[in-house]
Amino acid sequence: KKSRIFIGVVDGDPTVQNTNQYPTLLLARQGPITFSPSGTVFTFGGIADAALIAEGSINLSGIAFANFGRLLVYARGVGSDLTVEAPISNLDRVQFRAQNNLVVNSPVTVKGTLPDKRGFKVEVGNDVQINSTIKATLMSIESLGSIHINNSAQLLALVNSTSTGQIIIGASGSDTPVNISGTVTADQGEVDIRQTGVAGSTTVTNATIHGDVVKISALGTNGTLNIGAGNSINADTVVSLYAPGSNGTLNFLSNVVLSSPSNILAANTINISAGVMVTINSPVPADVYTNKANYFGFGGTGNAGTSGTFGGAGAKNPQPLSNAPALSAPGGGP
């Protein structure tokens, strides 16, 4: 049966005509899909669901998606990349899948409120690069390789009458990085950033991170969590920084302020670099669980010449890592 959906320019107006009111638009190709309409911006609207699926790479540019239900874009096949330079606004749900790499360079706003028809979800086989503003109540970014939330990115979890915001960022490559810059905010909700690969790393630099609960971790046996320069990390309930593998390491590489009623630091080794101050902006000292406390003061084994220390409310004397409370699953609260 022939579809009556038309994509083109009518009387100079870029449009999608859906004269038979079909609920779904599907564009599929045994090969790559590229939109390049010479500056013309097409708007997809008036349909319930749209899907673009290719056995190859997909490059979205010169178009826009707005004012309908769900959008799925899937670049299948070995080496297939998805590049998004098409603004997306006022959709219920957006899902990007790529067997290789994903790059998002344009804004995405998702406003769905129904439990099964909302949110922004990414599933990628190799690498994710986010360079734009993403707004959604629920946000999940998953990669079998690495993830980069770059300086120009803003991940903003929206709050509505039925749900608090949630941002989950997770990579599982055996030795790949999760690099976080830009802004990651889930007001009244949870931010969970984790790398689960054996020797994976999570690095936070020049980032603003806020939520009711903030969890940042590198969970592999040799996982490394690095807190670099220029960060603002704060929570309304708890900040948890974890690298609990048998060779896991939490490194404070630059001055940072951790602002939360409760702060939990848990790693086999905790290093505070020389001259670095970790300021605990809290009514109570930080809870520290480590087998190797490489800092001075507060029960640490370092000295002022070679190690940094805590400031503000400071830290309790370290307990063994085995006493640390378990880090809850993504979306599981404190």
Side-chain angles (χ1 to χ4, degrees):
K1 185 177 180 179
K2 293 183 178 180
S3 169
R4 294 293 181 88
I5 294 176
F6 169 79
I7 303 174
V9 178
V10 178
D11 296 329
D13 180 27
T15 187
V16 175
Q17 292 184 358
N18 186 12
T19 57
N20 281 7
Q21 298 300 303
Y22 287 113
T24 302
L25 169 65
L26 171 63
L27 301 177
R29 186 171 190 267
Q30 190 76 27
I33 294 176
T34 300
F35 287 84
S36 54
S38 302
T40 302
V41 177
F42 291 89
T43 298
F44 288 72
I47 55 178
D49 302 294
L52 286 75
I53 302 173
E55 287 288 342
S57 296
I58 299 176
N59 190 325
L60 302 180
S61 62
I63 60 175
F65 298 88
N67 306 319
F68 62 96
R70 294 173 291 185
L71 172 67
L72 166 65
V73 186
Y74 186 9
R76 299 181 56 185
V78 176
S80 295
D81 300 329
L82 172 55
T83 302
V84 180
E85 297 184 346
I88 298 171
S89 60
N90 198 32
L91 270 60
D92 290 336
R93 180 179 175 88
V94 172
Q95 184 171 359
F96 294 146
R97 301 183 68 185
Q99 198 152 333
N100 195 40
N101 300 326
L102 167 68
V103 178
V104 182
N105 291 328
S106 57
V108 178
T109 301
V110 184
K111 295 185 177 180
T113 58
L114 297 178
D116 61 340
K117 295 182 180 179
R118 64 183 178 189
F120 174 79
K121 186 172 184 178
V122 164
E123 296 172 304
V124 168
N126 186 43
D127 180 60
V128 176
Q129 300 273 345
I130 305 292
N131 300 303
S132 62
T133 298
I134 313 293
K135 297 179 181 179
T137 301
L138 302 179
M139 203 176 305
S140 173
I141 300 173
E142 301 176 14
S143 174
L144 299 178
S146 55
I147 296 175
H148 298 80
I149 310 300
N150 295 320
N151 285 334
S152 56
Q154 295 187 76
L155 306 185
L156 308 175
L158 307 174
V159 179
N160 58 45
S161 59
T162 62
S163 177
T164 58
Q166 182 182 100
I167 299 174
I168 296 172
I169 300 170
S172 58
S174 61
D175 58 357
T176 59
V178 173
N179 291 335
I180 306 295
S181 298
T183 299
V184 182
T185 299
D187 290 334
Q188 302 179 36
E190 178 179 318
V191 173
D192 190 305
I193 301 166
R194 62 180 66 198
Q195 217 292 2
T196 60
V198 173
S201 65
T202 299
T203 300
V204 182
T205 307
N206 295 320
T208 298
I209 301 175
H210 175 259
D212 180 61
V213 172
V214 171
K215 298 181 288 188
I216 308 173
S217 61
L219 300 178
T221 301
N222 302 309
T224 301
L225 173 55
N226 299 312
I227 306 300
N231 294 305
S232 172
I233 302 173
N234 62 87
D236 298 327
T237 298
V238 60
V239 169
S240 298
L241 305 181
Y242 272 61
S246 57
N247 293 309
T249 305
L250 168 56
N251 296 316
F252 290 98
L253 304 175
S254 185
N255 293 341
V256 66
V257 178
L258 304 180
S259 297
S260 177
S262 174
N263 296 276
I264 302 173
L265 314 180
N268 183 62
T269 301
I270 296 179
N271 296 316
I272 303 180
S273 297
V276 168
M277 176 77 72
V278 179
T279 300
I280 304 301
N281 182 17
S282 172
V284 296
D287 293 298
V288 178
Y289 302 91
T290 185
N291 299 324
K292 299 176 183 178
N294 293 332
Y295 50 83
F296 75 90
F298 306 95
T301 60
N303 60 72
T306 60
S307 303
T309 190
F310 290 96
K316 299 175 185 177
N317 285 341
Q319 299 184 50
L321 178 60
S322 58
N323 289 352
L327 187 68
S328 64

